[in-house]
Amino acid sequence: MRELIESRRDRYLEWLRQACSIPSLAGNPEGLQAMVAWLEGTLGPLGAATERLTFDSAPDVLLAHLGSGERTVLVYDHYDVQPVDPVSLWKKDPFVPALENGLLYARGVADNKGDLVARLAAFEVYRDHFGELPVRLKLLIEGEEEVGSPSFPEVVERYADKLGADGCIWEGAGVNHAGAPELVFGAKGLAYLELVCSGLNDDQHSSVAVYAPSPVWRLVEALATLRDVDGRVLVDGFYEDVLAPTPEDLTALETLPFDEEAEKQRLGISEFVGGASGLELLTRAHFEPTCNIAGIHAGFTVPGGSKTVLPKQALAKLDLRLVPEQVPEDIVAKIRAHLKAHDFGDISVTTLGLEHPARSPMDSLIGRAATIACEPVYDLPPAVSPLMIATGPMHPIAHFLGIPTVSPAGVCRPDSKIHAPNENVAVTDFLDTIEYTIEWIRAFATV
Amino acid sequence: MRELIESRRDRYLEWLRQACSIPSLAGNPEGLQAMVAWLEGTLGPLGAATERLTFDSAPDVLLAHLGSGERTVLVYDHYDVQPVDPVSLWKKDPFVPALENGLLYARGVADNKGDLVARLAAFEVYRDHFGELPVRLKLLIEGEEEVGSPSFPEVVERYADKLGADGCIWEGAGVNHAGAPELVFGAKGLAYLELVCSGLNDDQHSSVAVYAPSPVWRLVEALATLRDVDGRVLVDGFYEDVLAPTPEDLTALETLPFDEEAEKQRLGISEFVGGASGLELLTRAHFEPTCNIAGIHAGFTVPGGSKTVLPKQALAKLDLRLVPEQVPEDIVAKIRAHLKAHDFGDISVTTLGLEHPARSPMDSLIGRAATIACEPVYDLPPAVSPLMIATGPMHPIAHFLGIPTVSPAGVCRPDSKIHAPNENVAVTDFLDTIEYTIEWIRAFATV
């Protein structure tokens, strides 16, 4: 079957080029619509029945039905891509895919069009090699993942009766530094907040700071109450819903490859937070929430320049990565209560994003199928992670619908530059993902 | 004599227009040179001997000698002006002086060309009315006051033997809200610092904040150690050189008019720091140092936007207003020591400006002359302040040379918009300042 895939290399690369030529960016409705149309046009000849799940505040979500069988698998992908700024750092036009030294460069080629097109190709190869898919497959493709999937929970709720399944394949994790396929069974959640401290009509000459209160100092003081210097969050009840890792989680983490020295070198640091390493480091990374300052601004900030000003206002962005079973809305409420209790109730808190953390069991049918399927495709055994340290909108599927979910091996490598200029995918990884898709479909039917 | 001044109103307004037409801005050497030439051209016919005090790093400082007598007075002014940005907020071209409703609008007309030209006019009126000035007068005019007079201390040191005097008239305070002439006997000092906390090679996806240290948090935590929430600076020894106000200072402050409600309304606050009012407020304002955050920046700060980033670096600007006898270099050393002692020795501290605080006695010859001279000119008795809450380069004269110094009544009103668009001076205040200059010259000769 690999031979069949290899023989169609140019055909599927052409599909991928076509998909990556469409600028399906947030804020470009034509590009998003063109991408949906391209998907419909490609899925039709594969025998898929497609429908659009419409929702007022979101680009159309595409749902395609293929195959038949006892078991049903839901596959989640997204057809939108990240912005291309700064364009000047791209070696080529981000929407004119370019093949160079076995790598295809284009915006979205790794996140997530490479996985998506590999799946379409797999459906065709499967059909031509084996016949109809041996499972009922529902391919769900949304169009606003890159802006935080704000409507996705409601879309899933509204169309819940169409989305039932025995397991879910989630977008795609990738292949790690060592070349091992990754299997990830959850995602952290997120609360993204903007804090603003005001208090003066206008910026003032700083001489009056001797009697006029400073909104900047006030914000700094408020922030300093949120965390201790070891990074532990001091907000009352912040950790009360945090689940400890299970023995199975720890076993998975123990075998998860993580090159600490390489990561330190990449970051430019001499040690990780708290001096952690080994299992302690990985446990923290996967099972601890964060409270990060993504930005802070007030007053005059030109490096090397002087201006004696008392700024009228100060702003900070907080991004908190949450772990199961923390509830984003609850965390925001606790932060508000904390500020109020510490006499900082005047600081405004605006919620700019909420995402629930998600976890699925590792021994589900789909988890086992995704694991078994690695063997014929990859040289190394899978690197299994209970949770990714980043965030994804997995919660509506894994928790609201209760479908066991895994983010499996895919086209991404650590150096695929997702969300960055010169995003790329290796052609061999693309072909591997086609093969791997066929393997997990086969495994899921029989496991 | 007032009649003589009034009769020459147009002549001296024309001088002021000429002076204000010259863009003597930092970074415009032609404008600065043209201003020196204009001053030389105007001082010559007044019988002044002028010389340029040259210094490698500074525009020429002009020194003019007039009059004769037992006593010598040094008069300090500056011929440079603030930048005009944002030009769009000016009603007229800032270098085309415009008279409207008794106000002359132009950049520099209040700070400090109005006082400077009024003094030149006074010399002429005095000569034509009384003859030669009854004191030896040294008019010292520098050209980089608006960028913090970085070379002035060294200029004074180098040319000390030319600058000796029995008293110094400093630039000009002004006339307060109530219409009372102001006399100010000192200025706060300044230490302006840039703090930078680095720690990562690049901005990172914020998911790694779970194990990568955050330079922003580190800077926030370091800043939070510098002050308590009441604004008291926690740096060891910060207050040890602060002089308490004398009974005479408190007496002066007791009679200093300060409209607390108007100031609160202007600032948009409900109470001053610590709830202070009355004498307590004025004492704090004049005799307490500050530690102000003039700016802070890191990461992503677009209001309403979200970006999940762990910033690689954070920057803060601190401006500290210092009071006698705090020494700016010593304060900087103490802040460095504080950061080191609190384990923040990795945060870089760059000094961007240092200015010593200054105090002169209120009962000096020049202080008494400036006080006496108010009576014939102004309806209200002078508002005497031991120290201005802002900063000026008074220290080299008042302390290094040890010349008793006073910043007297002048053309400025609280709404003269110095350093801002539409800077202006009332023609009547300009004429008052001519008259007042003649009066303090007469008083200084005989007091």
Side-chain angles (χ1 to χ4, degrees):
Chain A
M1 190 182 55
R2 179 70 183 210
E3 279 163 32
L4 181 55
I5 295 169
E6 295 282 353
S7 74
R8 294 184 181 176
R9 179 183 180 281
D10 291 349
R11 173 176 174 78
Y12 297 137
L13 270 180
E14 177 55 27
W15 285 13
L16 184 53
R17 280 174 191 272
Q18 286 175 13
C20 292
S21 302
I22 301 169
S24 48
L25 293 148
N28 180 1
E30 295 78 16
L32 293 167
Q33 281 294 332
M35 192 63 208
V36 175
W38 183 87
L39 286 165
E40 289 170 331
T42 308
L43 280 159
L46 298 176
T50 61
E51 60 181 318
R52 294 188 183 201
L53 310 185
T54 57
F55 195 80
D56 271 358
S57 61
D60 290 349
V61 176
L62 191 65
L63 179 62
H65 303 267
L66 294 99
S68 65
E70 269 181 41
R71 290 181 179 155
T72 303
V73 62
L74 180 68
V75 178
Y76 167 91
D77 284 293
H78 61 89
Y79 61 79
D80 61 320
V81 300
Q82 275 280 313
V84 294
D85 304 310
V87 176
S88 60
L89 296 184
W90 285 79
K91 293 186 293 183
K92 301 272 170 63
D93 184 327
F95 294 112
V96 179
L99 191 63
E100 200 179 303
N101 298 326
L103 300 175
L104 189 67
Y105 290 86
R107 170 52 85 223
V109 68
D111 181 14
N112 148 252
K113 290 177 177 176
D115 290 316
L116 175 55
V117 173
R119 283 163 190 161
L120 302 182
F123 302 156
E124 189 178 75
V125 172
Y126 194 98
R127 184 194 64 190
D128 297 347
H129 195 76
F130 298 110
E132 195 184 19
L133 296 190
V135 296
R136 271 173 292 149
L137 190 145
K138 297 174 178 177
L139 177 58
L140 180 71
I141 321 173
E142 71 148 320
E144 54 174 24
E145 197 271 350
E146 296 296 3
V147 292
S149 303
S151 312
F152 191 64
E154 287 176 88
V155 170
V156 169
E157 200 170 334
R158 178 180 300 176
Y159 295 101
D161 58 339
K162 293 178 181 288
L163 302 176
D166 304 303
C168 174
I169 288 288
W170 187 267
E171 202 171 334
V175 173
N176 73 12
H177 282 99
E182 297 173 312
L183 300 178
V184 181
F185 288 88
K188 285 192 181 175
L190 182 75
Y192 198 100
L193 303 177
E194 182 169 294
L195 274 58
V196 174
C197 185
S198 305
L200 297 168
N201 286 337
D202 297 291
D203 286 356
Q204 297 294 327
H205 191 268
S206 72
S207 59
V208 305
V210 73
Y211 56 71
S214 162
V216 197
W217 267 118
R218 203 163 160 69
L219 184 64
V220 165
E221 286 155 4
L223 289 172
T225 67
L226 291 174
R227 262 184 38 146
D228 67 18
V229 290
D230 298 321
R232 181 106 188 143
V233 177
L234 301 175
V235 173
D236 226 34
F238 185 78
Y239 293 97
E240 73 186 10
D241 295 322
V242 172
L243 294 186
T246 63
E248 293 72 35
D249 291 332
L250 294 177
T251 304
L253 291 180
E254 267 170 2
T255 58
L256 195 63
F258 184 72
D259 187 335
E260 296 185 16
E261 287 313 311
E263 181 67 353
K264 281 187 208 167
Q265 206 175 332
R266 186 183 75 81
L267 293 169
I269 61 176
S270 57
E271 65 172 26
F272 295 111
V273 168
S277 70
L279 184 59
E280 184 200 356
L281 173 66
L282 286 177
T283 305
R284 274 197 189 188
H286 291 83
F287 290 95
E288 280 196 7
T290 66
C291 176
N292 175 56
I293 300 175
I296 187 166
H297 180 76
F300 177 79
T301 59
V302 176
S306 307
K307 187 179 176 188
T308 47
V309 62
L310 168 61
K312 69 171 181 173
Q313 184 173 290
L315 168 152
K317 309 265 188 185
L318 288 186
D319 88 70
L320 300 105
R321 302 277 174 181
L322 307 178
V323 297
E325 301 284 332
Q326 288 180 305
V327 177
E329 292 83 353
D330 174 60
I331 292 296
V332 175
K334 283 172 173 160
I335 287 174
R336 287 183 193 277
H338 172 95
L339 291 173
K340 208 164 178 181
H342 287 73
D343 252 343
F344 292 110
D346 58 300
I347 294 178
S348 77
V349 178
T350 306
T351 303
L352 297 178
L354 291 177
E355 207 138 17
H356 285 257
R359 269 303 300 273
S360 269
M362 296 187 276
D363 60 355
S364 65
L365 287 179
I366 193 69
R368 279 152 53 204
T371 305
I372 292 166
C374 290
E375 199 277 328
V377 184
Y378 299 100
D379 294 335
L380 296 174
V384 176
S385 167
L387 197 77
M388 65 171 163
I389 69 170
T391 300
M394 200 185 271
H395 184 270
I397 305 290
H399 292 256
F400 179 74
L401 297 182
I403 303 173
T405 300
V406 57
S407 185
V411 298
C412 278
R413 295 267 178 174
D415 50 2
S416 285
K417 300 189 188 296
I418 64 170
H419 294 208
N422 305 311
E423 183 174 351
N424 67 84
V425 152
V427 173
T428 50
D429 288 330
F430 175 63
L431 301 179
D432 283 350
T433 303
I434 298 173
E435 186 182 358
Y436 176 67
T437 302
I438 294 167
E439 293 298 341
W440 68 248
I441 289 172
R442 294 174 68 192
F444 187 62
T446 57
V447 74
Chain B
M1 190 182 54
R2 179 71 184 209
E3 278 162 34
L4 181 55
I5 295 168
E6 295 282 353
S7 73
R8 295 183 180 177
R9 179 181 180 281
D10 291 348
R11 173 176 174 79
Y12 297 136
L13 270 181
E14 177 54 27
W15 285 12
L16 184 54
R17 280 174 190 274
Q18 286 176 12
C20 292
S21 302
I22 301 169
S24 49
L25 293 147
N28 181 1
E30 294 78 15
L32 293 167
Q33 281 294 331
M35 193 62 208
V36 175
W38 184 87
L39 286 165
E40 289 170 331
T42 308
L43 280 159
L46 298 176
T50 61
E51 59 182 318
R52 293 187 183 201
L53 310 185
T54 58
F55 196 79
D56 271 358
S57 61
D60 290 348
V61 176
L62 191 64
L63 179 62
H65 303 266
L66 295 97
S68 66
E70 268 181 43
R71 291 181 178 154
T72 302
V73 61
L74 180 67
V75 178
Y76 167 90
D77 283 292
H78 61 89
Y79 61 80
D80 61 321
V81 299
Q82 276 279 311
V84 294
D85 303 310
V87 176
S88 60
L89 296 184
W90 285 79
K91 293 186 291 183
K92 301 272 170 63
D93 184 327
F95 294 112
V96 179
L99 191 63
E100 200 179 303
N101 297 326
L103 300 175
L104 189 68
Y105 289 86
R107 170 52 86 224
V109 68
D111 182 14
N112 147 252
K113 290 178 176 175
D115 289 316
L116 175 54
V117 174
R119 284 164 189 159
L120 303 182
F123 303 156
E124 189 178 74
V125 173
Y126 193 98
R127 184 195 63 190
D128 296 347
H129 196 75
F130 299 109
E132 194 183 20
L133 295 190
V135 296
R136 270 174 293 149
L137 190 146
K138 298 174 177 177
L139 177 59
L140 180 71
I141 321 173
E142 71 148 321
E144 54 174 24
E145 196 271 351
E146 296 296 3
V147 292
S149 303
S151 312
F152 191 64
E154 287 176 88
V155 170
V156 169
E157 200 170 335
R158 178 180 300 177
Y159 295 100
D161 58 338
K162 294 179 182 286
L163 302 176
D166 304 302
C168 174
I169 288 288
W170 186 267
E171 202 171 334
V175 173
N176 73 12
H177 282 98
E182 297 173 313
L183 300 178
V184 181
F185 289 88
K188 285 193 181 175
L190 182 76
Y192 198 99
L193 303 177
E194 182 169 294
L195 274 57
V196 174
C197 185
S198 305
L200 297 168
N201 286 337
D202 296 291
D203 285 356
Q204 297 295 327
H205 191 269
S206 72
S207 59
V208 305
V210 73
Y211 56 70
S214 162
V216 198
W217 268 118
R218 203 163 160 69
L219 184 64
V220 165
E221 287 155 4
L223 289 172
T225 67
L226 291 175
R227 261 184 39 146
D228 67 18
V229 290
D230 299 319
R232 181 105 188 143
V233 177
L234 301 175
V235 173
D236 226 34
F238 185 77
Y239 293 97
E240 72 187 11
D241 295 323
V242 172
L243 293 187
T246 63
E248 292 72 35
D249 291 332
L250 294 177
T251 303
L253 291 180
E254 267 170 2
T255 57
L256 196 62
F258 183 71
D259 186 336
E260 296 185 16
E261 288 313 312
E263 182 66 354
K264 282 188 206 167
Q265 206 175 332
R266 186 183 75 81
L267 292 169
I269 61 176
S270 57
E271 65 172 27
F272 295 111
V273 167
S277 70
L279 184 59
E280 184 199 356
L281 174 66
L282 287 177
T283 305
R284 274 197 190 189
H286 291 83
F287 290 95
E288 281 196 7
T290 66
C291 176
N292 175 56
I293 301 176
I296 187 166
H297 180 77
F300 177 79
T301 59
V302 177
S306 307
K307 187 178 176 189
T308 47
V309 62
L310 168 61
K312 69 171 181 172
Q313 185 174 290
L315 168 152
K317 308 264 187 186
L318 289 185
D319 87 70
L320 301 106
R321 302 276 173 181
L322 308 178
V323 297
E325 301 285 333
Q326 287 181 305
V327 177
E329 292 83 354
D330 174 61
I331 291 296
V332 175
K334 283 171 173 161
I335 287 174
R336 287 182 193 277
H338 172 95
L339 291 173
K340 208 163 178 182
H342 287 73
D343 251 343
F344 292 110
D346 58 300
I347 294 177
S348 77
V349 177
T350 306
T351 303
L352 296 178
L354 291 177
E355 206 138 18
H356 285 257
R359 270 303 300 273
S360 269
M362 296 187 277
D363 59 355
S364 65
L365 286 180
I366 193 70
R368 279 153 52 204
T371 305
I372 292 166
C374 290
E375 200 276 328
V377 183
Y378 299 101
D379 293 335
L380 296 174
V384 176
S385 167
L387 197 76
M388 66 172 163
I389 69 170
T391 300
M394 200 184 271
H395 184 271
I397 304 290
H399 293 256
F400 179 74
L401 296 183
I403 303 173
T405 299
V406 58
S407 185
V411 298
C412 278
R413 295 266 179 175
D415 50 1
S416 285
K417 300 188 188 296
I418 63 169
H419 293 209
N422 306 311
E423 183 175 351
N424 68 85
V425 153
V427 173
T428 50
D429 288 330
F430 175 63
L431 301 179
D432 283 350
T433 304
I434 298 173
E435 186 181 358
Y436 176 67
T437 302
I438 294 167
E439 293 298 340
W440 67 248
I441 289 172
R442 294 174 67 192
F444 187 62
T446 56
V447 74

